[in-house]
């Protein structure tokens, strides 16, 4: 199948590209390399260096004629979205619309849209949180991800475009950028390996830090393969969301201590106040993905952290 992956030079998107190539698909990548890296794109895929909001996207759709579009490109930082909601919306709403307009125009069969289960539900009481809960997003990033899901439903109704929404938990693993504000595992790995003191951001009433639902990037790539297989049997215009996570809540301090044990490095973390728009708790119900994709995470936190540490040791 011809698959176009936006954001395929990035952390998660590049692992998805690897798996698509291994499955025998023909892969084109659209990425402006704002945070992604050319080196992440394997030889078997064609990279088009372009902003997803650029009108030139039409030419790529006309020439490649994708049968499925996997949309990973995004402004990914919650705190950056709180500082600059306009930029967040330009990429996550206007960019997405440019992709969807092209999908409708050339008759793409299915779209896999990457949303955020770690952000859109807000600080909700129901945990683990199932897909049926009404999201209460509290950051511009979470709002634009949810808006994206609503647009997919519109394109389903208006153009018969079938779609799958993958609502990721906190994804970690090799190739994650340790220089950003998001990606605590990558940041901790690099800080620990440099024998520097990592920071645990925490609210005053949560001394062990916030809780997050971590999932290893290899498992997430498998979820994309499962969603791609299922796409063939999705009815025209259907749009269905799936939580993609481990289904466990892990506090930042536990994450840090597990990583420190795995690295066998004796460093103590320091504490700092939580930053803008950060949720206190997040844990996702993954039963729907297990039953319907079908998919479930198989990598334990310890094993995933060891693989990530090994990557940063070589990098
Ligand atoms: N990392 C996580 O824990 C997590 C959790 C939930 C959802 N997500 C979503 O997964 C997707 C991938 O995130 P990631 O963690 O791999 O981040 P990433 O920054 O590594 O990947 C995003 C990619 O999109 C590209 N990009 C950004 N703006 C673009 C634009 N305007 N035009 C073209 N390309 C553009 C970047 O260069 C990068 O390669 C995003 O949609 C993100 O919101 C990530």
């Amino acid at each position: 199948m011809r698959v176009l992956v936006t954001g395929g030079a990035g952390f998660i998107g590049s692992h998805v590209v690897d798996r698509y190539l291994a499955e025998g698909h023909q892969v084109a990548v659209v990425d402006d390399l704002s945070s992604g890296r050319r080196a992440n794109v394997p030889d078997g895929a064609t990279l088009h260096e372009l902003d997803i909001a650029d009108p030139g996207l039409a030419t790529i759709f006309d020439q490649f004629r994708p049968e499925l579009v996997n949309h990973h490109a995004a402004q990914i930082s919650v705190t950056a979205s709180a500082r600059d909601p306009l930029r967040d919306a330009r990429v996550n709403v206007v960019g997405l619309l440019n992709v969807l307009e092209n999908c409708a125009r050339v008759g793409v069969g299915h779209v896999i849209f990457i949303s955020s289960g770690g952000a859109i539900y807000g600080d909700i009481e129901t945990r683990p949180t199932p897909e049926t809960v009404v999201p209460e997003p509290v950051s511009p990033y979470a709002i634009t991800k949810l808006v994206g899901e609503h647009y997919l439903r519109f394109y389903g109704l208006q153009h018969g475009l079938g779609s799958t929404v993958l609502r990721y938990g906190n994804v970690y693993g090799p190739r994650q950028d340790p220089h950003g504000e998001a990606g605590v595992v990558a940041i901790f790995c690099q800080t620990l390996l440099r024998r520097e003191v990592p920071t645990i951001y925490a609210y005053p009433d949560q001394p062990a830090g916030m809780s997050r639902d971590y999932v290893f990037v290899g498992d997430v790539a498998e979820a994309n393969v499962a969603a791609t297989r299922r796409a063939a049997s999705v009815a025209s215009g259907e749009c269905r969301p799936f939580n993609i996570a481990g289904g466990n809540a892990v506090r930042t301090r536990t994450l840090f201590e597990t990583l420190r044990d795995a690295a066998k490095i004796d460093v103590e973390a320091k504490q700092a106040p939580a930053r803008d728009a950060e949720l206190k708790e997040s844990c996702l119900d993954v039963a729907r993905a297990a039953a319907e994709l079908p998919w479930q995470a198989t990598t334990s936190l310890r094993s995933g952290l060891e693989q990530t540490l090994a990557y940063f040791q070589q990098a």
Side-chain angles (χ1 to χ4, degrees):
M1 185 160 49
R2 287 185 306 280
V3 183
L4 190 147
V5 182
T6 70
F11 158 49
I12 306 169
S14 64
H15 286 274
V16 173
V17 170
D18 286 344
R19 282 296 289 116
Y20 275 150
L21 290 174
E23 291 280 303
H25 297 306
Q26 202 183 326
V27 182
V29 169
V30 174
D31 198 302
D32 68 355
L33 302 181
S34 51
S35 60
R37 298 172 56 218
R38 191 177 294 275
N40 285 345
V41 180
D43 286 343
T46 310
L47 170 64
H48 301 274
E49 190 180 335
L50 192 78
D51 182 343
I52 48 166
D54 192 299
L57 191 66
T59 309
I60 295 166
F61 271 75
D62 286 338
Q63 288 171 355
F64 186 62
R65 294 266 150 191
E67 293 157 274
L68 183 140
V69 169
N70 184 306
H71 186 58
H72 270 77
Q75 186 300 115
I76 66 156
S77 165
V78 169
T79 46
S81 80
R83 272 198 310 270
D84 191 352
L86 269 179
R87 178 171 181 272
D88 179 77
R90 267 196 292 271
V91 181
N92 292 3
V93 180
V94 178
L96 169 69
L97 284 176
N98 196 30
V99 171
L100 293 179
E101 278 296 297
N102 278 292
C103 289
R105 189 176 58 78
V106 307
V108 166
H110 195 87
V111 174
I112 296 176
F113 171 66
I114 307 309
S115 183
S116 173
I120 64 165
Y121 297 120
D123 264 317
I124 206 136
E125 292 293 311
T126 315
R127 287 190 306 275
T129 312
E131 295 85 347
T132 45
V133 148
V134 178
E136 294 178 11
V138 296
S139 65
Y141 168 77
I143 292 167
T144 56
K145 284 291 182 185
L146 187 58
V147 164
E149 296 192 18
H150 289 308
Y151 272 118
L152 280 171
R153 267 182 289 279
F154 164 75
Y155 280 86
L157 291 167
Q158 187 77 8
H159 300 284
L161 182 61
S163 59
T164 305
V165 175
L166 301 182
R167 294 175 175 170
Y168 293 166
N170 275 55
V171 188
Y172 71 95
R175 299 184 203 154
Q176 190 163 27
D177 181 4
H179 304 108
E181 293 167 349
V184 64
V185 172
I187 295 168
F188 279 176
C189 281
Q190 196 171 67
T191 316
L192 271 175
L193 291 171
R194 288 179 176 165
R195 308 298 199 267
E196 291 167 1
V197 177
T199 305
I200 294 177
Y201 294 101
Y203 288 100
D205 60 336
Q206 292 183 315
M210 298 153 246
S211 73
R212 293 291 181 265
D213 193 335
Y214 293 96
V215 59
F216 185 63
V217 69
D219 288 335
V220 170
E222 289 309 319
N224 280 270
V225 171
T228 301
R229 289 199 187 115
R230 179 182 164 277
S233 58
V234 170
S236 166
E238 183 189 309
C239 173
R240 191 138 173 90
F242 294 93
N243 289 337
I244 300 298
N248 307 300
V250 176
R251 296 214 173 272
T252 318
R253 175 154 290 283
T254 309
L255 177 80
F256 165 68
E257 286 171 359
T258 312
L259 197 56
R260 187 178 59 182
D261 285 355
K264 300 186 179 61
I265 294 173
D266 191 19
V267 174
E268 212 17 90
K270 66 174 189 261
Q271 203 103 344
R275 297 162 299 176
D276 282 350
E278 290 199 304
L279 296 184
K280 290 183 120 177
E281 314 273 4
S282 177
C283 181
L284 304 180
D285 185 330
V286 289
R288 181 186 286 181
E292 296 181 29
L293 280 180
W295 169 89
Q296 58 189 17
T298 55
T299 309
S300 69
L301 183 64
R302 172 80 188 208
S303 162
L305 292 178
E306 283 171 357
Q307 292 178 59
T308 311
L309 264 173
Y311 167 81
F312 280 102
Q313 265 156 348
Q314 288 161 11

